[in-house]
Amino acid sequence: MNDTLVTLVGNAATGVEFRETATGGMARFRFAVTPRRWDREKQLWTDGHTSFYTVWAWRTLALNLSGSVSVGEPLVVHGRLKVREEEREGQRRTFVDIEAVAVGHDLTRGTAAFRRVLRGEPALTAPAGSAERSGAAARPEGFTGPGGADGADGLGDPGDSEKPYGSGTKRSTVRQKAGKELASVP
């Protein structure tokens, strides 16, 4: 197998489009990568030329992407590089696609909370803002994440912005409950 594997760091330029196909789910979105360089003369960072890629994902990764990624979020994409040329309106155009193997949020630019998807619990992968995902009934028992039963972010006192993770008591409780749920999964 002579695939070219690449890892790109950038931002989601469009929302994730998800479709069901005969072989499972399929998702795609545009991905923008802008290099930054230090300009010694001006003593500041400058942006280079932005490159755009179409990221394709299949099956479980596609479903998880649709429920996890929004426009503008910083991501790391790892996958197979595919370059194709097409002729449109008399002009040859080059398209660069990435067939994703793995996609994750870039934690150098923010935090994320991972949720393992349990079989038979589609609310965890439902697109952001959907009725399935926003309803309290779709949340696991004891969930205290954004919009949870107590309205807090699940990281401690909602008004405690001085500490990055609040007091930590709710955080450990959520981990303990999640550990019990995962232990019972076949």
Side-chain angles (χ1 to χ4, degrees), residues 9-10 74-76 104-111:
V9 178
L75 301 173
V76 178
H105 286 96
D106 182 358
L107 298 180
T108 62
R109 298 191 282 165
T111 62

Side-chain angles (χ1 to χ4, degrees), residues 118 140-141 172-186:
L118 303 175
E141 182 181 342
S172 62
T173 304
V174 171
R175 277 195 190 139
Q176 290 168 353
K177 288 180 182 177
K180 290 176 188 174
E181 289 174 16
L182 292 177
S184 65
V185 174

